[in-house]
Amino acid sequence: HVQLVESGGGSVQVGGSLRLSCAASVIGDTYNCMGWFRQAPGKEREGVAMIYMIGGSTYYVDSVQGRFTLSQDDSKNTLYLQTNSLKPEDTAMYYCAAGRCPDTNDYWGQGTQVTVS
């Protein structure tokens, strides 16, 4: 069983920053990738960023490349997504996910809302 709990969302002005956190609680299951997805109203869910837990390779969707950065604190089993230079089109519900690479969609958090205006 894997439980993911997100936090850190909020409302910011254009150009602002937020740091999203995803705390993972793992009992009995394993995963080798974690990542963040987002879904805006009326749009499909899209992958934003992903990290391979072994080796630490990261991947970002083109629209956030250079603005968003993944990091992890292994001691806290927490994954972070630093979001900078936010744009209105970044407005969405952001979901943390974990699972088998590369799909990374076996386990999901409840989501945290990011609104940029």
Side-chain angles (χ1 to χ4, degrees), residues 20-49:
L20 308 184
S21 300
C22 174
S25 175
V26 183
I27 301 176
D29 287 334
T30 61
Y31 51 88
N32 50 13
C33 271
M34 289 187 74
W36 290 90
F37 292 71
R38 67 185 180 186
Q39 187 168 19
K43 295 187 177 181
E44 293 186 354
R45 186 174 295 187
E46 68 167 346
V48 175

Side-chain angles (χ1 to χ4, degrees), residues 8-12 18 20 83 86 90-94 112-116:
S11 296
V12 296
L18 288 171
L20 308 184
T83 66
L86 285 163
D90 295 317
T91 296
M93 184 70 78
Y94 283 69
T112 186
Q113 178 68 37
V114 172
T115 303
V116 185

